[in-house]
Amino acid sequence: MTLAQAKRGQRLLIAAIPNPAVRAQAIRFGISEGAEVECYEKLPAGPIVVGKGKQEIAIGRRLAENIQVKPA
Amino acid sequence: MSHCHSYLDHIDIPEGAKKIVLVGNPNVGKSVFFNALTGMYVDVSNFPGTTVDISHGRYGKDVVVDTPGVYGISSFNDEETVARDVILSADLILNVVDAVHLERDLFLTLQVIDTGIPTIVALNMMDEAADQGLKVDVDLLEHLLGVPVIPTVAVKGKGVEEVKTRIYEARTGHIPPDLKTHLQGMLNRIGSWAEALLVLEGDPHVAERHGVPAGDMREEIYHARRRRVNDIVKHVVSETEEGASFSTKLGRYMLRPVTGIPIFIAVLYAMYYLIGVIVAQDIVGFTEETVMQGMYEPAIRAIVGKFVSEGSALGAILIGEFGLLTMTVTYVLGLLLPLVVGFYLALSIMEDSGYLPRLATLVDRIMTGIGLNGRAIIPLILGFGCVTMATITTRILGTKRERTIATSVLGLAIPCSAQLGVIAGMLAGIDTKYIAIYVVVILLVLGVIGKILNKVLPGESSDLLIDLPPIRLPRGENVLKKTVTKSYAFLLEATPLFMVGALIISGLQLSGLLESIQVALAPLTEGLLKLPKETATAFIMGIIRRDFGAAGLSDMDLTPAQTLVALVTITLFVPCIASVMVMFKERGNKEGALIWISSWVFAFVIGAIVAAFVI
């Protein structure tokens, strides 16, 4: 499944981030392939907010559609 | 080992002095340390070719340089490029880290350590960490990093003195052995450990400076670094309790549309009240009319008038209606300065409280419809204050494509505050029906232009990917400092453009061209827009200053329907001369001209359509 399909409150494992530039930026925020995150918030047709520890990151919907995740 | 960088050449570095560079993520409290180290002597300058401001000052015989808040050293945007260049030239780095967000902040710390530059870490916000039930093992962190770590609560002054006295204990930290091996291989060709790291991480600019191909190890190095950060955090941080605090909840409310939209409306209203009412009416009324036009202009006319007659060409240029010493100075200091300060004050408060990234997230969906992402809300909101200033801030957008769309939308559909005041006044006098039509037409144009450009322009816009910092009460000192810095930088950039604009208008007036244009435009206004031909004068005035144009209209005898048509046209058509010049400067001559000319065409076509329906 993709991150865009996640539900609020769901815990997820990041499986794949295809875009190398996005991958590099996400990894600095603590979100890398293999990381476990929680879907904090899901705006209607809008960004997905994921969190890991105290860190929160907003990811645009189109980007979220390209991030592969697995339920943790 | 330091390299020549254009900006750093401006800083006078005495013989034998060390360059101490402050590094940290955004909003971790770097500025408190900067102030503590440098005291009062601070210079702020704009980094060449960017909107990024750099402060520097003295600590003893050494020089302290601040850098913009970044999440890592590379070149994903302007801030990072500037920070990277300053960091690479450092003799010693003071890395400020937010104890609550070690998982995020230590990534930068490890990258800094990997550069091989002597480093010392200030572990800040220890009180907030304690409040959130986090316990950090400082000794173990120091041991794992290999550099001194000093716990601090900078805003309360705790630990700041210790950082000052121990700053020269900065030392090279632990660099992973396999990375070291790779670096040594690269070192022969680069000569600097730090630059070798950046080349290895595939930074194209640094590689180009050394004439070597960029490395392809970024992924590998980043992954290893991330694993080390996670490992360190696992060992040094223990959580004693959990539970969402009020600020965490408030942060969520700002995101959810049901609560987020009312919060946004409340924030907009507060901004409108501060800028539209307090600043634009009360303060500007005093500074522009009473001080500048009432006291300054007569004085300067009297002084200059002794040497140059106001009737002469030189006199007109200097102290005439659009004179360099009269209109330009009044405009910049009396009107623009208070507005700009008001806007940057509001923006700094939003920025420091952590609201802005949440707003960007909230509006992201709507913005993607016009080919922008949520971050573009910043220049669009700024546009309601001053389109010129907003056009400069489009630089924060990720791609050239987004900057083009945002600049076009700003030029066309966003009325600036000076104009907004007059428009609101004129709309208030006519029927509610016309006000509704006005708002709908302007919003429709904004949406359609965005949609069209999104379709027509090649490439893709960047997606939203932002860190949401915690919601906290902004600190007055920091907000004021930011406001002053940004306002100053804006005036520095915009004032020469106003001067050129004033010169052009004076030239047009002196040569009689201004009148010819008025006459030439008359058929267009009478024929197409069904307005009296005198409105042409208002349109010409609008080029000089948008509100002059609107103000010119309010003196005329128009029916409510004509008022609507005139206002729609004047809102859509060309922005003031200063913003046109900034547009050309930012977007280049070709694109600038295209946006400028199409704004005229659009204004008259849409004005004519509205006229056909209502008149």
Side-chain angles (χ1 to χ4, degrees):
Chain A
M1 67 186 264
T2 70
L3 180 59
Q5 292 161 326
K7 290 189 181 65
R8 197 204 288 177
Q10 202 176 8
R11 295 203 67 87
L12 307 154
L13 270 176
I14 305 285
I17 304 174
N19 181 327
V22 173
R23 203 155 57 213
Q25 287 183 62
I27 205 172
R28 299 195 313 193
F29 290 142
I31 291 178
S32 53
E33 291 163 355
E36 192 184 318
V37 299
E38 186 184 332
C39 174
Y40 279 162
E41 209 56 69
K42 194 176 172 183
L43 278 77
I48 313 283
V49 179
V50 299
K52 190 176 171 240
K54 301 266 175 212
Q55 177 72 15
E56 289 181 39
I57 294 143
I59 299 170
R61 180 57 66 105
R62 199 173 53 168
L63 197 56
E65 280 164 1
N66 283 304
I67 294 177
Q68 295 294 324
V69 296
K70 285 188 293 220
Chain B
M1 74 185 244
S2 52
H3 268 257
C4 292
H5 299 294
S6 56
Y7 164 73
L8 296 157
D9 292 342
H10 294 303
I11 308 178
D12 177 33
I13 296 179
E15 196 79 24
K18 281 193 156 101
K19 196 187 291 162
I20 303 169
V21 173
L22 269 154
V23 180
N25 282 217
N27 298 319
V28 294
K30 283 197 306 295
S31 58
V32 184
F33 288 95
F34 182 77
N35 291 342
L37 286 167
T38 56
M40 304 295 288
Y41 300 99
V42 178
D43 263 332
V44 179
S45 33
N46 199 257
F47 207 85
T50 70
T51 46
V52 181
D53 301 309
I54 296 286
S55 315
H56 61 92
R58 284 289 179 77
Y59 177 58
K61 62 175 178 45
D62 296 326
V63 176
V64 184
V65 189
D66 201 5
T67 59
V70 291
Y71 300 107
I73 314 167
S74 69
S75 41
F76 289 125
N77 56 41
D78 269 4
E79 268 96 4
E80 286 188 16
T81 314
V82 169
R84 180 198 67 202
D85 284 347
V86 179
I87 292 166
L88 289 181
S89 72
D91 293 313
L92 186 164
I93 289 173
L94 171 57
N95 175 214
V96 183
V97 165
D98 174 356
V100 185
H101 293 91
L102 281 183
E103 225 167 342
R104 179 195 68 192
D105 289 27
L106 284 184
F107 189 87
L108 174 65
T109 305
L110 289 192
Q111 197 177 20
V112 163
I113 286 173
D114 288 346
T115 62
I117 300 169
T119 303
I120 181 166
V121 171
L123 187 60
N124 199 16
M125 304 185 182
M126 287 297 276
D127 56 339
E128 220 171 290
D131 286 348
Q132 300 206 16
L134 296 173
K135 216 170 140 331
V136 184
D137 186 338
V138 180
D139 291 335
L140 182 61
L141 181 61
E142 179 164 320
H143 176 74
L144 291 172
L145 294 177
V147 302
V149 177
I150 302 167
T152 64
V153 184
V155 288
K156 292 180 187 150
K158 276 188 201 160
V160 176
E161 275 312 306
E162 198 186 343
V163 170
K164 281 175 78 172
T165 49
R166 288 183 59 192
I167 195 155
Y168 296 107
E169 288 175 28
R171 59 174 184 268
T172 310
H174 298 319
I175 302 173
D178 44 340
L179 179 62
K180 227 171 181 165
T181 317
H182 285 293
L183 279 172
Q184 249 136 13
M186 190 62 86
L187 204 57
N188 301 329
R189 297 153 75 184
I190 309 289
S192 144
W193 195 270
E195 306 226 346
L197 177 74
L198 268 290
V199 173
L200 216 54
E201 287 183 5
D203 191 293
H205 302 92
V206 180
E208 201 188 298
R209 276 211 289 266
H210 291 279
V212 295
D216 56 0
M217 291 188 58
R218 183 168 76 189
E219 294 265 321
E220 205 177 309
I221 297 173
Y222 275 28
H223 264 290
R225 195 172 282 147
R226 174 45 62 195
R227 276 198 300 274
R228 286 179 62 212
V229 171
N230 292 348
D231 198 49
I232 292 173
V233 171
K234 205 167 75 194
H235 284 97
V236 302
V237 182
S238 45
E239 208 156 339
T240 51
E241 60 195 89
E242 225 179 327
S245 65
F246 173 68
S247 68
T248 315
K249 276 190 221 148
L250 183 62
R252 299 280 164 80
Y253 289 146
M254 288 170 173
L255 289 173
R256 283 177 205 162
V258 185
T259 42
I261 294 167
I263 292 175
F264 179 43
I265 291 169
V267 169
L268 274 187
Y269 182 77
M271 261 184 90
Y272 161 77
Y273 191 77
L274 170 73
I275 296 147
V277 178
I278 301 178
V279 177
Q281 290 171 23
D282 302 346
I283 297 179
V284 168
F286 175 73
T287 52
E288 188 180 22
E289 284 157 31
T290 314
V291 178
M292 299 308 290
Q293 287 167 350
M295 293 150 73
Y296 167 79
E297 285 195 24
I300 194 83
R301 281 205 174 91
I303 295 168
V304 177
K306 281 186 188 149
F307 307 99
V308 192
S309 139
E310 207 188 317
S312 68
L314 183 64
I317 287 171
L318 290 177
I319 52 172
E321 195 183 349
F322 315 114
L324 285 181
L325 295 174
T326 45
M327 186 193 83
T328 312
V329 177
T330 299
Y331 193 9
V332 170
L333 295 182
L335 174 83
L336 216 55
L337 183 63
L339 282 175
V340 168
V341 168
F343 253 97
Y344 278 133
L345 189 67
L347 200 67
S348 301
I349 292 171
M350 286 207 270
E351 212 172 84
D352 280 20
S353 63
Y355 181 62
L356 223 43
R358 285 177 175 78
L359 174 59
T361 308
L362 179 70
V363 299
D364 184 64
R365 201 200 109 45
I366 301 167
M367 302 294 262
T368 50
I370 56 168
L372 297 169
N373 77 46
R375 281 168 61 95
I377 192 74
I378 299 166
L380 293 192
I381 286 185
L382 274 176
F384 285 103
C386 172
V387 172
T388 313
M389 165 169 63
T391 305
I392 294 178
T393 52
T394 56
R395 288 181 198 162
I396 64 160
L397 302 179
T399 60
K400 184 177 168 293
R401 181 179 198 268
E402 287 157 72
R403 291 192 280 266
T404 302
I405 295 176
T407 309
S408 308
V409 168
L410 278 171
L412 256 169
I414 310 270
C416 70
S417 64
Q419 202 184 14
L420 213 52
V422 185
I423 290 174
M426 287 177 71
L427 282 177
I430 59 176
D431 197 45
T432 326
K433 183 179 85 185
Y434 292 116
I435 303 175
I437 298 176
Y438 174 82
V439 173
V440 168
V441 168
I442 299 299
L443 285 179
L444 215 61
V445 170
L446 192 153
V448 171
I449 295 299
K451 281 238 182 278
I452 292 174
L453 285 173
N454 190 24
K455 274 248 172 339
V456 176
L457 290 176
E460 269 189 45
S461 295
S462 58
D463 290 311
L464 188 76
L465 178 64
I466 48 170
D467 164 54
L468 304 180
I471 292 291
R472 57 164 86 104
L473 215 57
R475 287 186 49 250
E477 191 193 328
N478 207 25
V479 167
L480 284 180
K481 195 181 154 218
K482 256 192 200 175
T483 306
V484 170
T485 313
K486 287 185 176 169
S487 307
Y488 179 70
F490 169 72
L491 286 185
L492 218 58
E493 191 141 9
T495 307
L497 296 166
F498 285 112
M499 295 172 77
V500 174
L503 274 176
I504 293 175
I505 295 296
S506 291
L508 283 177
Q509 195 196 27
L510 285 171
S511 62
L513 266 172
L514 197 60
E515 260 172 77
S516 338
I517 299 173
Q518 284 172 14
V519 176
L521 268 181
L524 205 56
T525 46
E526 277 189 316
L528 265 178
L529 302 178
K530 303 178 191 167
L531 297 172
K533 68 169 185 287
E534 288 77 30
T535 43
T537 318
F539 289 149
I540 298 296
M541 296 296 285
I543 307 175
I544 304 161
R545 255 180 66 175
R546 292 229 251 187
D547 60 320
F548 276 1
L553 289 178
S554 57
D555 293 340
M556 264 181 288
D557 197 17
L558 299 173
T559 67
Q562 283 179 321
T563 306
L564 171 72
V565 172
L567 286 181
V568 164
T569 312
I570 212 155
T571 304
L572 294 179
F573 104 145
V574 69
C576 74
I577 192 99
S579 61
V580 171
M581 308 214 49
V582 167
M583 229 161 64
F584 273 83
K585 187 167 165 272
E586 293 289 315
R587 305 262 33 92
N589 289 342
K590 207 175 116 196
E591 213 179 293
L594 205 65
I595 297 176
W596 193 30
I597 292 164
S598 45
S599 76
W600 280 89
V601 176
F602 262 105
F604 283 102
V605 169
I606 291 163
I609 293 172
V610 176
F613 276 102
V614 298
I615 300 180

